[in-house]
Every structure is written in C-alpha cells, then in structure tokens.
Amino acid sequence: MTTLTISPDQDSAELSRFVAGIPLAEIDVSRPSLFQSDKIGAFFERLRREDPVHYCAESSYGPYWSITRYDDIMAVDTNHKVYSSEAKLGGIAIQDMHRDQSNLELEMFIAMDQPKHDAQRKAVTPAVAPSNLLLLEPVIRERAGAILDALPVGEEIDWVKCVSVELTTMTLATLFDFPWDERARLTRWSDVTTAIPGAGIVDSFEQRRAELIECAMYFKGLWDQRIDQPEGNDLISMMANSPATRDMPFLEFLGNLLLLIVGGNDTTRNSISGGVLALNRHPDQYDKLRRDPAVISSMVPEIIRWQTPLTHMRRTALEDSEIGGKRIAKGDKVVMWYLSGNRDETAIDRPEEFIIDRKNPRQHLSFGYGIHRCMGNRLAELQLRIIWEEIQKRFDFVEVVGEPERLLSNLVRGITRLPVKLHAH
Amino acid sequence: MIKVTFVAHDGRKLRVEIGEGLTAREAALFNDVPGIDGDCGGQCACATCHVQVDPAWIDLVGRLADDSMEADLLQFAEGTTAESRLACQIRLDARLDGLVLHVPEQQY
Ligand code: FES
C-alpha cells in the first residue's frame, strides 16, 4: 500500500492530482484521517467517476465494497431483503459490531432485520411522531432562545460547545425525561459510543465498555421507576411499556438506548455547526437568508445534505447480487457512502454548492431510505428550523473566525470546534 | 387530464389536474398540496407521501399489498388506516378521474 501523507494546507488542485495518481485498487476511503482533514471528497469524486462500485481488498476493516453514486446507494438501501443490517453479520457500520473481543455485543433495532426490527422500531416511533413534535416545539424554542440570549456578542466563542451540544442535549433529555441537571452525561455517552479507542475520547475498549455499562445501569434505574406506570410519552416509558421492547435482554436494552442517544445527539449537533460553516463559506447565501428568513424551511434540508452527519451505513449481502454491473458475493461488506451520494452530480444539481433555496432540497441521502430510514428526521429538522429562526431574530452574522476542528471518525462527520464571533443586528 | 381532489386534515379541498400516467405524488407536488413531501423522489423509499384513499375509491385504486415495500414503510407512519397508500405508488389513469385522497395531519 502507498502511504498517504496529506498536509492540511494542500490546495484542491494539488489534492486532485495526488488522488488521481493512486492506483484505483489501492484507494481506501475508510481511513478516518481523510475525514478529519476533510480531504475525503476528492477520493469520492474519483470513485464516482471511475469506479462507482469499488472493491477495496485490504483495509483496517477488512475487504469492503464502496457504493458512491446516489442511485446505487438507493438501490442497496431499499433492498433490505438482500442487504442485511443484522448485527451478528457485522451490523450497520464499516467497523464490525460483534467481532472485537472486548467489544460489547450490543443489539439495537437499526442493526436488525425484519421482523424484529419492525416491532422494536414501532415501539419508539411515537416519541418522534408529528403529534408529539407539536408538543415539543414550544419547549425546544424556549430553550434555544435561552441558549442564544446567554451568549456574549463580539467575543470569540466555540459554537459547538455553546450552542450545538447544548441544544441537542437538552432536546434529548426532554425526550427521555432525563434528570435535567445530569444531562451532560448523555453527551458523554453519545461520544463514547462512537469513539475509537485512542482517538481522544476513550483510551481503550475496556474503558468504553465500563462507561457504557454505567450508562445502562443509570437507565435501568429510570426504567424500573417507570415500568408499569401509566404511560408517559417519554422514550423510556414507551420502551418499558411496549410488548415489543419491555422484556428486552440487557444488551438489547443498552443497544437501543445508545442508538437513540447517538441518533439524537451526534447527528443534529453536527448539522447545527455545519450550517454556520456552510453559510460562512457561501456569503451570497447568507445574504439571501438575511433578506428572507422564510427560506429557512428549505435551508434546513440543504444543511442536512451539505453536512451529511453520518458518512455511511453498511450492509452485508445475504446472497450473490449485482450492483452497477459488479458481482457482489454473499457475505460481502457493502458500504453506502451517503456523503458521496449527496455530492453526486447525476442526482443533485450543482452538488458542491450550498444553495439554500434549491429545488427539491429534501431529496438527499442523509437520512437513508427504506425501512431503516432515520426515524428522527422530523425532530432533526425541527431543531434546525427553530435554532435558525431564533438566530435570525437576534444576530445579523454568526461569523466563523478560525478553522473548524473535525472528528477523527469515518462514520460521524463531526465538527468538534468552531470558533465564531456574534454580531447583533 | 385527470382530476384529483386532495382533502386536507381540516376539511379544505384542493382540486388539481394532472396528465395521465403520472402519480398522485406528482399531482400533489406539482400543485403544492401541503402535507405531501415525497422526499425520495417517488421511489417507494421514504413514506413521506402517505395518503388515505377515499373509501369510495379504494377498490379502484387497489389496496395495500401485504409483504410489499409499501406496506413495510407504511407500518411506521402515523395515523394510517385501512385505506392508506403511498401517493407515489398510485398511477393515475382514466379510471381514476375524479379520485379523492385525504392528506393525513402530518407526515414523517
Ligand atoms: S415519495 Fe417516497 S415513498 Fe412516496
């Protein structure tokens, strides 16, 4: 394998030339450093053009297929009878779920096939159903306003810490009816769940395991309080009182919780940060927003496309099949790169541009499609709409004043620090 | 042209016309019928085009087939009834001229 050394200040033409020089067979888009340095786009661009269904024979995650075009991704995502999400086969991320000795054998409905998936998912969907979101909206708006009102104008602050993390954690705590003063624990557990040992969050799989068990015990306490109580409309009460979920084995209980925590936390957090960054990189779009705040409703899905908070989802082939003219063998690992599909010019007009009033802004891959499509999509959009409406009421400009720092991960497309200065109207 | 009436949750009626061969999703989207998003572009993959077919029309439109992707998706939608379908799966032909579809209160 050629070693890749990519310096952060390399310009994009230089990067493209560099990427063009790598033998196709040696391209491995799973390297977390490519996401952290935000150079991954040039690799996906080449794969979409030259080898949209690409086989990588050797990587830290073993051999895998990369699906990089919109239509092919849609074909895999909607064919859940052939492309399995089952945890025991590896699950839903390029990193196998159950193959690491010291890893917990978590079970969660996102990493299950039918019919078990359907029953468990149905048990929790009411929490994010439109009718429940109507009740949540005023609560989220009040909190978003309070967060923004507390920020200093004209001073450098970290937007991720002060706004993105705060808002999503508060929303999650509300959904779980989680003890309010302890809600920072949710952020920690979310980070720990997706952490690679040694990348700055946990030092070892053992530490990760210990913290996740602590999380489970904490929730077990809440669960025991709420089981057999007249049904509350928080997620814990719903799971504790639904026949599909109330007798879950421990690792299934923990897995589903973590799924909801990560699903509700990491993703929207990064879209809130990503929106600020995108608007700063496209000042003409920021002007458009200043002129007409009504454009927020189409800007929200555009932000979610632009950021693509989860870079990929993975499936395992249950039988021999074909995608884009390539033979996929039974047992193969198939990675759908949503981040690449969302930049595919054959499906999305001028995909590299951030266009807040684009046509069909909702037709992006960030939520996935088919039976595993993100169930919190409306809640994510609601939070983004509210925060931007409240920002526009207060600030003329959220100015990015330094380079963003990004997460070392090939799954969560995370912004870990974003220095900004606020300008009042 | 085929005439389709969308009935909103509050009872308001929207009458639209659309060329034969297109789907009820297009009829809604081209005419800005609120409440039908159709995120996946009509691929039967997102369930954001849920409609309840008026009982008088359901047999002509056809009921949801068990074991179909459409049924798999609709089981997660809110407020489904025995007449629920995905608008992108209803192709409009001359027999359906005058079709009445009810829009649920909210979509996923
Ligand atoms: S438009 Fe997506 S299911 Fe009909």
Side-chain angles (χ1 to χ4, degrees), chain A residues 369, chain B residues 25 37-50 73 86-89:
Chain A
Y369 282 122
Chain B
R25 172 187 179 273
D37 292 331
D39 291 2
C40 72
Q43 304 293 310
C44 192
C46 69
T48 64
C49 65
H50 172 206
L73 283 169
L86 292 174
C88 65
Q89 302 304 303

Side-chain angles (χ1 to χ4, degrees), chain A residues 258-277:
Chain A
L258 293 172
L259 166 63
L260 297 168
I261 294 176
V262 173
N265 191 46
D266 261 341
T267 53
T268 307
R269 178 206 300 183
N270 291 314
S271 292
I272 293 174
S273 307
V276 171
L277 192 59

Side-chain angles (χ1 to χ4, degrees), chain A residues 74 78 80-81 114 117-118 121-122 125-126 128-131 134 362-363 369-371 373 375 377-378, chain B residues 25 29 37-41 43-48 67-69 72-73 75-76 78 105-108:
Chain A
M74 173 84 92
T78 51
H80 52 267
K81 303 232 151 62
Q114 291 176 312
H117 160 271
D118 298 358
R121 174 171 169 141
K122 259 189 270 181
T125 38
V128 287
S131 49
L134 280 178
R362 310 178 58 96
Q363 223 167 300
Y369 282 122
I371 61 164
R373 183 170 153 85
M375 66 173 241
N377 57 345
R378 292 299 189 245
Chain B
R25 172 187 179 273
L29 261 53
D37 292 331
D39 291 2
C40 72
Q43 304 293 310
C44 192
C46 69
T48 64
D67 249 0
S68 58
M69 179 72 165
D72 284 350
L73 283 169
Q75 59 170 328
F76 306 123
E78 200 185 35
E105 188 171 11
Q106 298 258 345
Q107 299 274 357
Y108 267 109

Side-chain angles (χ1 to χ4, degrees), chain B residues 50-91:
Chain B
H50 172 206
V51 288
Q52 294 136 0
V53 180
D54 194 87
W57 287 90
I58 185 68
D59 287 321
L60 217 49
V61 169
R63 290 184 186 267
L64 192 60
D66 285 350
D67 249 0
S68 58
M69 179 72 165
E70 192 181 346
D72 284 350
L73 283 169
L74 270 172
Q75 59 170 328
F76 306 123
E78 200 185 35
T80 50
T81 66
E83 287 82 35
S84 286
R85 292 289 312 265
L86 292 174
C88 65
Q89 302 304 303
I90 302 176
R91 196 159 295 284

Side-chain angles (χ1 to χ4, degrees), chain A residues 9-28:
Chain A
D9 48 2
Q10 199 166 29
D11 72 25
S12 70
E14 205 181 322
L15 177 66
S16 298
R17 269 197 305 281
F18 174 78
V19 173
I22 305 172
L24 210 47
E26 284 179 26
I27 289 189
D28 174 10

